[in-house]
């Protein structure tokens, strides 16, 4: 849900740039011929909103997640989002009259326990300095999750909603052959047939000048739905539980054609980086939160041996990883 196209624990993550494996900050060590498929590494075959955002943020981050599949530490914030999304999804299993704020809050500890059973390593988020369980930290964290769930009731009335789909996996293949896929938190269909795509965000609504990133994700979903059904969704709705804001956007065919062109250009850049093995870092303020600093040249690190065969192509310039934001 909220974060996106990949769900917690699901996996995969899906970069780009410059010269072959020599010269420049993105140059990657090539594996010996017999090692290039080590670990089952495969070229990317599809694009999701999360991975598209990764590549636009930093091609090297995309490589680490999609090709190298480097592990990342779980975060309390992302885990809280997973629990909150699970509550908002499963709340609709109950009859409309039973979809109450107290009832939803009461679901939070149970959803946490279910997630912990699947991913025991998450217990490490709530340990003290000696490695023992920190019950107080966990209690505060659960209370924060419950508050987010309760805030949702001030934004939408679940007793008046009957979603057509929840946690809907969608995919389509464009005429170019590019496969797009992702998970949509909720799809509502009006009696008149109009479609609304809804996504929950457990953070705060961004300032208007930074809102395009979230809208890009929603337009991506709208494009997939349009290409699948032939009908443009009527409305895209972002529900920001952290700040109590609803953000809506009504897309047009022209909007979605523009998104499609951007995704095709992005995919071409990703394929180029995959062939050349050149995935350059793009330093931003977000680097401070990156789990992969030990492997990043910007922090004095060395990327792992590139696990795919490198095929430099004549005429592919050194600036491919310097793409501007799409």
């Amino acid at each position: 849900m909220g974060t996106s196209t990949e769900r917690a624990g699901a996996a995969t993550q899906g970069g780009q740039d410059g010269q072959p494996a020599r010269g420049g900050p993105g140059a990657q060590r090539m594996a010996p011929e017999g090692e290039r498929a080590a670990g089952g590494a495969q070229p990317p075959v599809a694009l999701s909103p999360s991975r598209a955002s990764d590549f636009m943020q930093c091609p090297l981050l995309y490589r680490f997640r999609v090709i190298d599949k480097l592990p990342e530490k779980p975060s309390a914030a992302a885990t809280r989002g997973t629990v909150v999304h699970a509550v908002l999804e499963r709340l609709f299993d109950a009859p409309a009259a039973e979809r109450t704020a107290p009832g939803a809050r009461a679901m939070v500890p149970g959803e946490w326990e279910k997630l912990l059973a699947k991913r025991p390593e998450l217990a490490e988020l709530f340990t003290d300095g000696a490695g023992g369980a920190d019950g107080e930290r966990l209690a505060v964290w659960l209370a924060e999750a419950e508050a987010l769930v309760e805030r949702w009731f001030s934004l939408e009335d679940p007793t008046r909603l009957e979603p057509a789909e929840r946690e809907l996996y969608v995919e389509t293949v464009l005429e170019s052959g590019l496969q797009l896929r992702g998970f949509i938190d909720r799809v509502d269909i009006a009696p008149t047939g109009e479609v609304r795509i809804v996504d929950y965000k457990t953070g705060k609504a961004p300032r208007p000048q930074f809102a395009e990133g979230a809208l890009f994700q929603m337009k991506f979903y709208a494009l997939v739905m349009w290409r699948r059904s032939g009908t443009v969704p009527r409305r895209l709705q972002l529900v920001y539980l952290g700040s109590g804001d609803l953000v809506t956007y009504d897309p047009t065919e022209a909007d979605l054609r523009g998104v499609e062109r951007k995704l095709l250009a992005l995919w071409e850049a990703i394929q180029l980086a995959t062939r050349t093995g050149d995935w350059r870092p793009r330093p931003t303020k977000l680097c401070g939160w990156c789990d992969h600093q030990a492997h990043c040249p910007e922090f004095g690190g060395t990327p792992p041996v590139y696990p795919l065969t490198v095929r430099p192509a004549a005429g592919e310039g050194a600036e491919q990883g310097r793409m501007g934001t799409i």
Side-chain angles (χ1 to χ4, degrees):
M1 302 185 173
T3 48
S4 260
T5 51
E6 280 69 38
R7 289 299 173 250
T12 83
Q13 289 148 303
Q16 148 207 337
D17 199 318
Q19 300 288 351
R22 58 183 182 276
Q28 313 302 337
R29 296 175 296 149
M30 289 188 294
E33 190 67 37
E35 297 179 10
R36 289 178 188 166
Q42 298 291 332
V45 297
L47 197 58
S48 71
S50 297
R51 301 294 72 85
S53 295
D54 284 344
F55 186 83
M56 290 187 287
Q57 175 186 324
C58 174
L60 187 57
L61 173 64
Y62 177 101
R63 180 205 142 167
F64 287 159
R65 286 178 163 171
V66 176
I67 295 177
D68 299 300
K69 294 182 171 59
L70 297 183
E72 297 183 350
K73 297 177 182 177
S75 74
T79 304
R80 181 172 56 235
T82 300
V83 169
V84 169
H85 280 82
V87 170
L88 299 185
E89 177 192 356
R90 288 163 191 151
L91 181 68
F92 287 102
D93 291 338
E98 298 177 16
R99 300 170 195 163
T100 65
R105 288 184 65 115
M107 294 172 64
V108 170
E111 292 301 330
W112 160 241
E113 292 298 331
K114 290 178 186 177
L115 181 61
L116 185 61
K118 295 177 182 177
R119 300 181 59 195
E121 72 276 10
L122 295 178
E124 298 175 6
L125 293 170
F126 307 106
T127 57
D128 56 27
D134 189 334
E136 184 176 348
R137 282 180 59 198
L138 176 59
V140 170
W141 181 85
L142 288 171
E144 292 170 345
E146 291 171 3
L148 291 172
V149 167
E150 186 167 17
R151 182 170 289 149
W152 177 60
F153 286 79
S154 68
L155 300 172
E156 297 190 285
D157 181 357
T159 67
R160 302 179 63 183
L161 294 171
E162 292 298 340
E165 301 286 353
R166 289 171 279 156
E167 276 292 288
L168 176 65
Y169 174 75
V170 294
E171 67 175 38
T172 192
V173 178
L174 303 179
E175 289 184 1
S176 66
L178 171 58
Q179 181 184 22
L180 305 178
R181 62 191 183 193
F183 283 90
I184 299 175
D185 287 348
R186 198 179 87 216
V187 177
D188 300 330
I189 300 180
T192 56
E194 294 176 313
V195 173
R196 177 172 64 186
I197 297 175
V198 180
D199 194 74
Y200 306 121
K201 301 293 186 185
T202 50
K204 297 181 179 180
R207 286 177 288 178
Q209 61 267 41
F210 301 114
E212 187 55 37
L215 283 177
F216 170 79
Q217 174 190 355
M218 300 300 284
K219 291 177 183 179
F220 183 109
Y221 293 143
L223 172 62
V224 174
M225 295 287 280
W226 175 40
R227 290 307 189 194
R228 278 164 43 106
S229 68
T231 301
V232 175
R234 175 69 177 81
R235 175 153 294 178
L236 311 177
Q237 179 167 296
L238 287 155
V239 183
Y240 286 97
L241 303 175
S243 56
D245 292 303
L246 281 179
V247 176
T248 62
Y249 183 83
D250 296 342
T252 65
E253 277 196 20
D255 288 333
L256 302 188
R257 291 186 189 280
V259 172
E260 186 170 25
R261 288 192 296 270
K262 291 177 182 180
L263 290 174
L264 291 174
L266 185 64
W267 187 243
E268 288 179 5
I270 290 171
Q271 290 181 310
L272 178 56
T274 302
R275 292 195 303 271
T276 62
D278 192 352
W279 305 83
R280 299 186 185 182
R282 182 177 294 132
T284 69
K285 293 180 180 179
L286 297 175
C287 291
W289 285 272
C290 184
D291 281 341
H292 306 302
Q293 293 180 9
H295 296 289
C296 180
E298 293 293 324
F299 292 87
T302 301
V305 171
Y306 190 56
L308 301 176
T309 301
V310 172
R311 300 187 301 276
E316 291 180 341
E319 292 304 311
Q320 59 198 39
R322 300 299 184 187
M323 283 178 55
T325 299
I326 290 183

